[in-house]
Amino acid sequence: MNLNPIVSPKWLLARMYEPDLVIVDCRFVLGNPESGKAAYAVSHIPGAVFLDIEEDLSAPVGTHGGRHPLPEPQELAARLGRAGISNATRVVAYDDQGGLYAARLWWLLRWLGHDDVYVMDEGFAAWQAGGFPVTDATRTVVPASFVPDVRGDMLADVGEVRRALGDPGVLLVDSRDASRYAGEQEPIDAKAGHIPGAINRFWKGVLDDQGAWLAEPQLREQLAPVIRALDDGREAIVYCGSGVSACPNVLALHRLGYPQAKLYAGSWSDWISYEENPVATGEE
């Protein structure tokens, strides 16, 4: 098993026809939910199946749980099985946003107890730019059986985050961009600001200017305050707007040897769905 969760397009090219591998196209654009499916229909990596962030990798939106609620484990397992993914399958996910949406699938599979899952570096544009093969043909999927073995300790709920407020043993990490964190603007959710006490580490900080994942020394620099906290025996709970863009930060920490960082899956959109939850603005 390759322990680095990030693989290169060339790595995938060399293995793409191996029978135990399933490639998953996770392309998606917030605010234009049909765009990923449409892009997949036009062109994708040969053999790839498409899983939609909202339809396949989230539960329906309710009063609480945020904009992309976690699917029920059995329901998610059934969807993975229909996509040809079993417990013995190696999975490589890609998107065209630097791994933003592919990292959500990476996290979900690990949450269900499946470790053999990877994110393709740089995404579909780099695959095309490399002159690698693409197709518009849809793969005939042979359904598989996926049995979940849920790792509850990967997940933080709203109660755990409330208990973390003012607790020096827990570091909250906000993965949204600095202006949303500070409450200067909020283009998506009903309230602006962040969870009190959280530090800000924008998820795009794990990528370089070309959209490729940083090397480990640079990743350590980017996530230094989180790593210090974990090295000191503290807990880290990572969140974003809806539990998607936090996943690259969680993946980066995992890659650096810190798999214990938790995801607050409901994130900011869940937090503000409870009127009594406090909100902070500005810098911490």
Side-chain angles (χ1 to χ4, degrees):
M1 190 185 291
N2 181 1
L3 294 175
N4 183 354
I6 304 298
V7 297
S8 69
K10 281 184 178 169
W11 184 96
L12 180 57
L13 181 71
R15 294 164 177 82
M16 59 189 290
Y17 296 114
E18 292 178 1
D20 68 329
L21 184 76
V22 172
I23 304 167
V24 183
D25 188 316
C26 296
R27 282 178 287 175
F28 182 78
V29 176
L30 199 60
N32 184 6
E34 295 304 311
S35 64
K37 208 176 292 181
Y40 172 82
V42 171
S43 178
H44 53 264
I45 296 176
V49 296
F50 181 78
L51 287 175
D52 186 84
I53 288 295
E54 293 188 339
E55 287 180 19
D56 300 311
L57 304 180
S58 304
V61 175
T63 307
H64 302 298
R67 284 182 280 108
H68 293 111
L70 277 191
E72 287 298 319
Q74 292 293 346
E75 173 61 29
L76 177 58
R79 288 176 197 169
L80 294 170
R82 288 196 292 272
I85 296 169
S86 76
N87 298 82
T89 305
R90 283 181 301 160
V91 179
V92 177
Y94 71 89
D95 56 34
D96 54 4
Q97 303 264 350
L100 168 59
Y101 298 110
R104 165 82 166 200
L105 178 61
W106 171 87
W107 188 91
L108 287 169
L109 276 161
R110 291 201 65 256
W111 176 55
L112 295 190
H114 189 79
D115 287 320
D116 215 353
V117 54
Y118 310 94
V119 170
M120 187 181 81
D121 201 3
E122 298 181 272
F124 188 66
W127 179 271
Q128 283 181 302
F132 299 158
V134 297
T135 185
D136 62 357
T138 305
R139 167 181 174 165
T140 303
V141 175
V142 179
S145 171
F146 188 98
V147 180
D149 182 13
V150 177
R151 292 170 168 149
D153 59 352
M154 288 178 56
L155 186 63
D157 62 13
V158 67
E160 193 171 340
V161 177
R162 283 179 184 141
R163 290 190 294 276
L165 297 182
D167 182 347
V170 184
L171 179 66
L172 297 171
V173 183
D174 187 312
S175 304
R176 298 170 302 158
D177 73 62
S179 63
R180 287 182 70 196
Y181 164 82
E184 292 161 7
Q185 56 138 349
E186 183 44 71
I188 305 168
D189 292 311
K191 285 182 186 177
H194 60 266
I195 300 172
I199 66 164
N200 183 221
R201 278 296 175 273
F202 186 30
W203 75 269
K204 279 191 178 174
V206 303
L207 306 175
D208 68 16
D209 294 341
Q210 281 70 52
W213 282 74
L214 294 175
E216 290 197 10
Q218 287 76 43
L219 272 186
R220 283 188 178 279
E221 210 174 301
Q222 163 66 11
L223 295 167
V226 193
I227 290 168
R228 275 198 303 273
L230 292 166
D231 282 343
D232 289 342
R234 297 166 69 192
E235 280 189 34
I237 298 175
V238 187
Y239 76 92
C240 55
S242 67
V244 176
S245 66
C247 291
N249 274 339
V250 176
L251 188 156
L253 288 163
H254 177 92
R255 182 179 168 192
L256 294 170
Y258 299 92
Q260 69 270 43
K262 293 185 179 186
L263 175 70
Y264 172 25
S267 285
W268 181 247
S269 51
D270 176 58
W271 183 257
I272 60 171
S273 70
Y274 298 90
E275 273 302 314
E276 67 275 20
N277 281 350
V279 166
T281 54
E283 295 300 316
E284 291 277 352

